[in-house]
């Protein structure tokens, strides 16, 4: 039986950080398991290749929600990364930490050590910020963070138009001023995607004390009583048990981490009973508190010089591709959105509860997952509510870990969420109707100028709303009865088992979730090393 000190389940945004930090000590033997394949492909490393990965048959779990009554019984597509780097290998590469208040709220909910001042050093430790370090930013970390290589004039005009509506300009949304409008930063290094795998593990993959295995699906965590001692995996059609003498760490993400805990006997009693799973520890919060950002897209026909659609479609896309191959610059080196505005849906909000993103190009999202750049000159903006009022669930579909779980996000079931997103749509319209941006707009395509009333806009949300790919919270950290892990990310009710990924967030952060997920792993690695238990000679059951 193979034995390691630590077994990490999932080589995504959190798992890669953990593998690097734990294996920094050559005396510690680390195993990093990934269900998917290696992700060393041209379109993975090329920033604009994200559209080709959105429905990839090998690098994406390609999940769907259950039918949602409030959304015309639609089954919404939920892409999740599957492969080295996880979702950081297929996402839009946007780097947003979130608002200071997000983390102070985590601390106030009974999680000491998780306030903004506590986590800031970990954000800084992971960053190599292109502009240099300061009180808020790091420069010596492994993760490269850059500004857009092209600042399109239409994007600059969006910032100027938003300022005219009283939204303050910020030169660094990850610095002193989060709420405001400005250019986004991305995990892009010299024109190439810098995923968690590329930043953290690829440079040290030859370490003798670090073993990385792809194509390994973990069936369950193995226990001796209430002590986690290893994992049972399926690899190459065979089932094997691997032993962890110190800890098993679950970093499979907000969908798969609760699924694995339940399959291993940790979860709500009724869910375990429904599938005849012998309980190891009853934990009613597992799979609950599913939070995500409900996202809605708008697009506008524009003047030709306001959009770069023509640069990445038709015959010109070959010139753009050649430019990228020769220089690693141009439009193929850009992330998903250029500019963001963090704004309030209503004056009573304490701080911004909406994120509006703008891009000087547009695409059509097809129901089968295909994303296609529009051929006509167009620009686009999207909005989502940062702090949703409701949460959903992840539940088991089958005892087979290869079967997708049941996803029920409960979108559009709370009037506050609906009102906030509709406010965001109206704010997008006001900004795009303001100079210097207004003269770039020819016509509104989506939702369409005829869609004006709240009822009509709600119908649009039901038909066109989607996930922003930010699921979180399903193994939440907390001291209340629904808390799955404690403030040191240890699973309550068992020993030598932690969850370290976006699923531990008590509330989803105010923005894209990749950066805070990696921060969680940076902090989690320090906790694991500090709490290291003595070598245990027990064999897995």
């Amino acid at each position: 039986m193979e034995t390691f000190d630590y077994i990490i389940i999932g080589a995504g945004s959190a798992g890669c950080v953990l593998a690097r930090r734990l294996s920094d000590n050559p005396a510690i033997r680390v195993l990093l398991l990934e269900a998917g394949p290696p992700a060393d492909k041209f379109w993975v490393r090329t920033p604009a290749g994200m559209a080709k990965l959105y429905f990839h048959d090998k690098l994406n779990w390609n999940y769907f929600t259950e039918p949602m009554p409030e959304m015309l019984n639609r089954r919404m597509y939920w892409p999740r990364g599957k492969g080295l780097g996880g979702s950081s290998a297929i996402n839009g590469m946007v780097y947003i930490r979130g608002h200071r208040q997000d983390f102070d709220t985590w601390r106030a909910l009974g999680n000491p050590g998780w306030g903004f001042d506590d986590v800031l050093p970990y954000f800084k430790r992971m960053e190599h910020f292109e502009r240099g370090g300061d009180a808020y930013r790091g420069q010596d970390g492994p993760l490269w963070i850059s500004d857009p290589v092209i600042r399109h004039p239409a994007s600059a005009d969006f910032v100027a138009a938003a300022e005219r509506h009283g939204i303050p300009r910020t030169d660094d949304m990850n610095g002193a001023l989060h709420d405001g409008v400005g250019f986004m930063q991305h995990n892009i290094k010299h024109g190439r995607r810098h995923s968690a795998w590329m930043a953290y593990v690829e440079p040290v993959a030859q370490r003798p004390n670090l073993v990385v295995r792809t194509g390994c699906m973990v069936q369950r965590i193995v226990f001796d009583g209430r002590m986690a001692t290893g994992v049972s995996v399926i690899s190459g059609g065979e089932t094997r048990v691997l032993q962890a003498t110190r800890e098993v760490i679950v970093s499979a993400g907000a969908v798969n981490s609760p699924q694995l805990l339940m399959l291993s006997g940790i979860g709500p009693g009724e869910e375990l009973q429904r599938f005849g799973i012998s309980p190891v520890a009853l934990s009613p919060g597992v799979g609950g508190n599913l939070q995500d950002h409900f996202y809605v897209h708008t697009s506008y026909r524009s003047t030709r010089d306001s959009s770069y659609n023509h640069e990445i479609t038709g015959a010109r896309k070959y010139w753009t591709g050649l430019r990228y191959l020769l220089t690693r610059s141009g439009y193929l080196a850009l992330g998903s959105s250029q500019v963001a505005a963090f704004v309030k849906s209503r004056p009573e909000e304490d701080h911004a509860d909406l994120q509006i993103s703008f891009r000087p190009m547009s695409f059509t999202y097809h129901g089968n997952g295909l994303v296609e750049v529009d051929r006509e000159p167009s620009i686009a903006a999207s909005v989502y509510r940062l702090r949703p009022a409701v949460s959903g669930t992840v539940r088991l579909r089958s005892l087979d870990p290869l079967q997708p779980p049941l996803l029920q996000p409960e979108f559009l079931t709370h009037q506050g969420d609906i009102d906030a997103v509709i406010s965001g749509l109206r704010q997008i319209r006001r900004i795009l109707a303001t100079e210097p941006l207004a003269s770039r707009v020819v016509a509104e395509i989506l939702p369409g100028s005829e869609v004006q009333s709240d009822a009509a806009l709600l119908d649009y949300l039901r038909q066109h709303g989607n996930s922003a790919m930010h699921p979180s919270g399903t193994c939440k950290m907390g001291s209340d009865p629904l808390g799955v892990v404690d403030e040191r990310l240890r699973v309550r009710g068992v020993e030598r088992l932690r969850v370290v990924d976006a699923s531990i967030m008590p509330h989803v952060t105010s923005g894209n979730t990749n950066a805070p997920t990696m921060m969680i792993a940076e902090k989690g690695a320090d906790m694991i090393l500090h709490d290291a238990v003595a070598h245990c000679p027990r064999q897995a059951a």
Side-chain angles (χ1 to χ4, degrees):
M1 184 181 299
E2 288 187 284
T3 301
F4 303 85
D5 292 305
Y6 296 97
I7 296 177
I8 304 166
I9 303 167
S13 298
C16 287
V17 175
L18 289 167
R20 169 68 172 268
R21 295 308 188 191
L22 296 181
S23 68
D24 281 345
N25 183 341
I28 293 175
R29 186 162 163 78
V30 178
L31 173 63
L32 179 61
L33 296 173
E34 171 55 43
D40 189 13
K41 298 181 182 296
F42 174 78
W43 288 117
V44 172
R45 294 188 179 267
T46 303
M50 71 192 95
K52 296 183 178 293
L53 306 172
Y54 198 67
F55 205 77
H56 199 280
D57 60 345
K58 293 183 175 63
L59 297 175
N60 201 316
W61 286 100
N62 298 321
Y63 288 140
F64 282 86
T65 68
E66 295 305 290
M68 293 176 287
E70 296 299 324
M71 298 195 66
L72 310 178
N73 280 320
R74 277 204 290 140
R75 297 179 70 237
M76 184 181 292
Y77 178 52
W78 267 33
R80 304 303 303 148
K82 181 183 182 183
L84 297 179
S87 292
S88 75
I90 69 168
N91 67 6
M93 294 151 287
V94 172
Y95 185 87
I96 292 285
R97 291 173 173 174
H99 195 280
R100 167 187 289 271
Q101 191 62 39
D102 295 334
F103 308 103
D104 288 347
T105 298
W106 291 6
R107 181 180 58 197
L109 289 171
N111 299 296
W114 287 92
F116 179 76
D117 291 337
D118 302 309
V119 303
L120 177 59
Y122 292 101
F123 278 119
K124 293 178 67 176
R125 186 170 82 175
M126 70 195 223
E127 293 180 347
H128 181 109
F129 188 33
E130 234 180 19
R131 296 187 218 162
D134 59 25
Y136 288 93
R137 306 308 303 270
Q139 191 181 18
D140 300 322
L143 183 67
W144 200 281
I145 301 159
S146 61
D147 294 307
V149 293
I150 297 175
R151 293 197 174 205
H152 197 281
S155 298
D157 286 350
F158 180 93
V159 174
E163 278 193 288
R164 291 191 173 186
H165 282 278
I167 304 170
R169 182 192 294 257
T170 176
D171 291 327
D172 183 3
M173 316 183 157
N174 299 298
L177 180 62
H178 175 269
D179 287 2
V181 61
F183 279 85
M184 288 185 170
Q185 298 153 17
H186 299 86
N187 300 333
I188 297 175
K189 180 180 181 181
H190 304 321
R192 306 181 84 183
R193 177 192 292 273
H194 213 216
S195 70
W197 167 262
M198 297 163 191
Y200 277 84
V201 183
E202 193 172 54
V204 301
Q206 300 308 312
R207 284 177 171 172
N209 65 323
L210 174 61
V211 178
V212 180
R213 290 188 183 154
T214 56
C216 288
M217 186 71 190
V218 177
Q219 289 181 300
R220 63 186 177 90
I221 301 158
V222 177
F223 288 91
D224 181 355
R226 289 179 177 262
M227 180 181 292
T229 57
V231 296
S232 174
V233 303
I234 305 170
S235 179
E238 297 182 354
T239 300
R240 305 175 60 197
V241 173
L242 306 170
Q243 185 177 22
T245 59
R246 294 197 176 193
E247 291 188 20
V248 175
I249 307 163
V250 181
S251 298
V255 173
N256 297 104
S257 286
Q259 179 189 28
L260 178 59
L261 289 186
M262 287 185 280
L263 289 174
S264 305
I266 302 172
E270 65 275 12
E271 189 72 359
L272 303 182
Q273 186 177 18
R274 188 162 69 95
F275 287 92
I277 299 171
S278 298
V280 175
L282 295 179
S283 182
V286 172
N289 194 47
L290 171 62
Q291 297 188 12
D292 189 17
H293 291 135
F294 174 79
Y295 157 101
V296 67
H297 176 76
T298 72
S299 63
Y300 294 75
R301 190 82 67 232
S302 70
T303 59
R304 182 178 173 84
D305 64 338
S306 302
S307 169
Y308 63 83
N309 283 3
H310 62 282
E311 298 284 354
I312 53 178
T313 56
R316 284 193 63 84
K317 69 182 179 183
Y318 299 107
W319 163 246
T320 301
L322 178 61
R323 177 186 177 188
Y324 177 76
L325 289 172
L326 294 175
T327 67
R328 292 285 184 259
S329 65
Y331 293 107
L332 295 190
L334 293 175
S336 60
S337 295
Q338 284 239 305
V339 169
F342 289 88
V343 300
K344 296 180 180 181
S345 64
R346 55 186 191 137
E348 295 83 358
E349 294 293 332
D350 178 64
H351 55 288
D353 65 326
L354 295 174
Q355 178 177 335
I356 295 172
S357 300
F358 175 83
R359 59 196 68 85
M361 55 84 68
S362 68
F363 55 84
T364 297
Y365 171 85
H366 299 282
N368 62 359
L370 178 67
V371 179
E372 187 175 26
V373 176
D374 299 327
R375 291 185 174 270
E376 295 294 324
S378 305
I379 57 179
S382 59
V383 64
Y384 55 77
R385 193 179 195 194
L386 296 169
R387 297 183 295 280
V390 297
S391 57
T393 57
V394 175
R395 293 290 181 250
L396 295 178
R397 183 186 305 274
S398 164
L399 288 173
D400 182 356
L402 292 172
Q403 290 296 311
L406 300 173
L407 305 177
Q408 297 173 311
E410 303 296 338
F411 288 144
L412 299 185
T413 59
H414 191 281
Q415 192 61 45
D417 290 341
I418 294 169
D419 292 343
V421 177
I422 288 176
S423 169
L425 290 174
R426 297 193 187 282
Q427 292 188 56
I428 288 173
R429 282 175 165 168
R430 287 196 292 271
I431 294 170
L432 268 70
T434 301
E435 294 294 357
L437 192 58
S439 57
R440 295 183 177 276
V441 176
V442 175
E444 180 177 325
I445 304 170
L446 292 173
S449 57
E450 72 283 359
V451 180
Q452 291 293 333
S453 69
D454 284 1
L457 288 170
L458 176 55
D459 284 343
Y460 180 75
L461 300 184
R462 287 173 170 153
Q463 294 177 51
H464 297 279
N466 279 292
S467 165
M469 293 177 58
H470 302 158
S472 60
T474 50
C475 300
K476 79 167 188 171
M477 174 174 58
S479 55
D480 62 285
L482 296 180
V484 177
V485 301
D486 65 14
E487 73 276 7
R488 300 193 72 79
L489 310 185
R490 299 170 295 201
V491 177
R492 295 184 181 279
V494 296
E495 299 176 53
R496 294 185 9 186
L497 178 65
R498 297 191 207 228
V499 178
V500 184
D501 57 27
S503 69
I504 68 94
M505 294 183 184
H507 294 295
V508 66
T509 51
S510 299
N512 303 66
T513 51
N514 193 59
T517 299
M518 296 176 75
M519 175 279 294
I520 288 167
E522 283 277 12
K523 184 172 171 63
D526 267 9
M527 292 176 169
I528 292 164
L529 292 170
H530 182 271
D531 297 344
V533 296
H535 178 84
C536 177
R538 293 194 191 202
Q539 296 297 308

